[in-house]
Amino acid sequence: MRKEKIRLDYNNMLSSRVGDKGITPEEFAAFDAELTAAALRMEEKKANMGFRSLPTRAPEVTEDIIATAKAIQADFDTFVVLGIGGSALGPLCVQTALNHLRYNELKEGRKLPRIYVEDNVDPERMLALMDVLDLSKTCFNVISKSGTTSETMSQFMVVADALKKAGLDIGKHVVITTDKVKGNLLKIAREYGNKTFVIPDDIGGRFSELTPVGLLAAAVAGIDVKALLEGAAYMEELCSGTDYKTNMAYMDGALQYIAYKKGANVSVMMPYADSLKYFADWYAQLWAESLGRNNGYGKGINVGQTPVKALGVTDQHSQIQLYVEGPYDKVITVIGVDDYRGDVVIPNSFPEIDDIVFLAGHTLGELTKTEQFATCYALNRAGRMNKTITLPEVNEFTLGQLLQLFLIETAYFGELCGVYPFDQPGVEEGKNATYALFGRKGYEAKRAEMEAAPKADAAYIL
Ligand code: PA5
């Protein structure tokens, strides 16, 4: 594994490269005091941001995760994560980034359990999952910090019933990852004797990938979780200074913030690697759920930048048209890799066809990187702000850096907007409305409120 630093290149955010829609030296100067003050406040608050000390603070938990993963590898051929939001997108991101891209389908060469991350309650998906599982060889990991989330608890109830009916031991087939003291999952664990892991008090859903939330599934799939943590710790060290100009997370946050203040309400995340496709999903949740608020700048102002997930090169044939010619309301972050973990030479299969012969002899990796370069070039020519983060290679160490970079950046952007990024009041409202409609005890008033709300007018339904 190459233990190298990831890089941020923000040339294409600047007016010197993209013209007057880019950030000018005068704008940087005008924001300097604000950016510096926020970086200093981050320093004061750092001790209360649990995710910042996480990579180095609990080696004994990492050892427990590794030992548990070994036992799961020995006893089961499939590992299923049941969770949603912050309890699912991190595991999904890490699995897809670091495993073989067809990991579950590998016949030869995959000695370790198949991994599924189930983050929806679509009944067809649950039925399809059950169709491909041999329950006697499946270990489930129920992940819910609150232990009350309707989706995860419903999935668990379905699975528990299926295990019971198959005469299997819920205690042996289910690992529970939850809060240390509160919640129903602990009660269940006590009754059935499940192995449990704790999500630390000071780390919430989307900030919890590097806790047992993400690390257990990763370890079961043979991912080097210590190297993932090492990568995160390295980024933490790189981002320990308070000068935003030399701190990668603060600088990227500063660029996003200045762009936002200049009207870039949309933040596009576009990795040029299939392995990082779900990194963009993880980012979209982190950015949206942490920063979309109605109390910005302490003044009750609505703030937030809408994240958009894109994939290079695939989305060059769909979204790029909008990015190049549509409104100037976006900042585009491209994620590139120096070296793909494998490459394919394009053979000269049709020498008689002039229109495609130029491709022959190049590799698919070269083509991907050339298209990445060409996209940034087209964006520059059209005056669109874009920047590139490059991973020398996608591996545990570089992915750990990338995750920690965006966690820190999110907190910094929140600080700049004057919002608390670690809760999610807007999500809670939807959760409560579901409880009320399903008749959960204690939600009678919410149900009455919902029943009194205006009904859909048939005149507007075609
Ligand atoms: O980021 C968050 O806090 C949320 O997305 C939660 O992870 C999600 O709502 C699931 O919550 P819980 O882990 O309590 O089931």
Side-chain angles (χ1 to χ4, degrees), residues 305-365:
Q305 212 180 21
T306 304
V308 170
K309 318 173 259 190
L311 179 66
V313 306
T314 307
D315 284 311
Q316 287 183 203
H317 296 268
S318 65
Q319 302 183 26
I320 282 290
Q321 173 61 32
L322 174 71
Y323 302 166
V324 172
E325 293 195 354
Y328 287 87
D329 60 353
K330 297 170 200 65
V331 54
I332 297 148
T333 304
V334 166
I335 311 275
V337 294
D338 284 332
D339 292 318
Y340 292 93
R341 291 166 292 191
D343 210 343
V344 177
V345 177
I346 307 169
N348 196 8
S349 305
F350 305 101
E352 67 285 10
I353 305 187
D354 286 348
D355 282 348
I356 57 173
V357 85
F358 72 96
L359 295 167
H362 292 288
T363 68
L364 293 182

Side-chain angles (χ1 to χ4, degrees), residues 175-189:
V175 176
I176 288 178
T177 306
T178 192
D179 184 85
K180 186 168 65 202
V181 283
K182 64 174 189 237
N184 306 306
L185 284 170
L186 282 184
K187 266 188 237 154
I188 296 172

Side-chain angles (χ1 to χ4, degrees), residues 2 22 36 47 54 61 76 147 156 165 185 211 260 300 347 420 428:
R2 290 164 53 182
T36 301
L54 183 69
V61 176
F76 300 100
F156 184 25
K165 284 183 176 144
L185 284 170
T211 72
Y260 171 60
Y420 181 72
E428 302 305 337

